[in-house]
Amino acid sequence: MLRRAAAKLGFLSTPIPKSNSSSKSSSRVELRSLLNGNRNSEFCGPLTSFDWNEAEPRRVGTSSIDTTCTIWDIEREAVDTQLIAHDKEVYDIAWGGVGVFASVSADGSVRVFDLRDKEHSTIIYESADPPDTPLVRLGWNKQDPRYMATIIMDSAKVVVLDIRFPTLPVVELHRHQASVNAIAWAPHSSCHICTAGDDSQALIWDLSSMGTAGGSVSGGGGQQPAATADGGLDPILAYTAGAEIEQLQWSSTQPDWVAIAFSTKLQILRV
């Protein structure tokens, strides 16, 4: 029953307080919708992540350990599309546009899907050192969707990719001293990304000097970018928390603020 419950997606809302409502009741969070695609069997794979489509807010994508990605229509409270996305567990999902999303998996690949052609996907990257090492997190650059970043399981590096040149990273960021747990692209800049990990560090990088987002990757001549694996790029800002940082978010409405979560604390950082 625990696995079945974990496979459901619920949406919460805070009701608008009425004039005669008490302050206690007006702050109550209520369940608005429970999306459950598991109607024909007792068990199914738990969800691992989800992402809201900003360009088409009625769509939410979820990933699961059962190798699938599911696109939900929250207005109809029903599954819109379900795809077998990978050969193994899917750990993260991210939208890159109205009908385009990507996912990462325990099979070590980043795959991009276009809902206009549900029978095919494009493999953008496969982990190689060692081969098939699981990829656990994915971040798609919303300011420049040509670029995305991914995290390799138990690795201190972050891989930045250009979807126009599959398999070859644009740059690998190597300044963390322990496993990276979270990534977030700047909501207001195409060339800045924040990373955080088990070394208690939150680092902000400017990728424009590497010819990535915000720069001229192809140099105007359509040449394939050269991968940089020596970790030559240094972060422009660094913050040390009191414990391993498990999660971070870069505020889309207040882009000067980044939130990090570690231990029992949530901290808001000004950048």
Side-chain angles (χ1 to χ4, degrees):
M1 294 300 292
L2 290 177
R3 292 186 66 194
R4 184 179 182 184
K8 298 176 181 178
L9 185 66
F11 290 91
L12 306 177
S13 68
T14 301
I16 299 174
K18 298 178 181 178
S19 58
N20 58 352
S21 298
S22 66
S23 58
K24 182 177 180 179
S25 63
S26 65
S27 61
R28 186 177 65 252
V29 177
E30 297 180 344
L31 180 66
R32 287 287 301 274
S33 179
L34 182 64
L35 307 183
N36 181 12
N38 180 39
R39 302 185 184 278
N40 300 319
S41 63
E42 184 178 357
F43 301 104
C44 65
L47 304 182
T48 54
S49 185
F50 73 95
D51 192 30
W52 207 303
N53 191 322
E54 296 180 1
E56 203 168 27
R58 66 183 178 88
R59 278 181 169 171
V60 173
T62 62
S63 57
S64 172
I65 68 168
D66 66 5
T67 74
T68 67
C69 287
T70 303
I71 308 303
W72 302 81
D73 186 325
I74 62 172
E75 292 180 355
R76 296 190 297 113
E77 299 186 5
V79 172
D80 182 61
T81 301
Q82 187 172 63
L83 304 172
I84 298 177
H86 290 265
D87 301 325
K88 296 182 180 179
E89 299 94 329
V90 188
Y91 288 143
D92 203 6
I93 183 172
W95 289 99
V98 174
V100 179
F101 69 90
S103 57
V104 293
S105 165
D107 65 14
S109 68
V110 179
R111 303 191 185 194
V112 174
F113 298 83
D114 190 327
L115 294 178
R116 295 170 297 183
D117 184 6
K118 300 175 185 178
E119 300 299 321
H120 301 90
S121 65
T122 301
I123 298 177
I124 298 299
Y125 174 76
E126 292 181 291
S127 55
D129 189 20
D132 302 324
T133 303
L135 304 176
V136 293
R137 287 291 175 263
L138 175 69
W140 206 319
N141 188 332
K142 298 298 177 65
Q143 291 294 319
D144 190 341
R146 296 174 298 177
Y147 299 97
M148 59 177 64
T150 187
I151 299 173
I152 302 171
M153 180 178 286
D154 299 326
S155 173
K157 71 179 180 180
V158 175
V159 179
V160 180
L161 307 169
D162 183 337
I163 65 173
R164 298 170 298 175
F165 305 104
T167 73
L168 186 63
V170 174
V171 63
E172 295 179 348
L173 308 177
H174 285 268
R175 290 300 183 254
H176 280 284
Q177 303 302 311
S179 299
V180 180
N181 296 324
I183 50 179
W185 289 93
H188 61 302
S189 169
S190 63
C191 59
H192 291 87
I193 189 172
C194 184
T195 62
D198 281 350
D199 58 358
S200 306
Q201 293 276 310
L203 307 177
I204 292 181
W205 311 77
D206 181 356
L207 304 183
S208 59
S209 63
M210 303 305 297
T212 61
S216 177
V217 176
S218 64
Q223 299 296 318
Q224 189 172 4
T228 302
D230 59 1
L233 188 65
D234 289 320
I236 59 172
L237 292 172
Y239 176 79
T240 302
E244 296 91 343
I245 301 174
E246 300 295 337
Q247 186 57 274
L248 71 89
Q249 292 290 332
W250 201 321
S251 173
S252 59
T253 57
Q254 301 290 334
D256 291 338
W257 300 96
V258 173
I260 59 173
F262 61 93
S263 183
T264 59
K265 298 180 179 179
L266 172 68
Q267 289 187 345
I268 311 298
L269 311 176
R270 188 177 182 90
V271 297

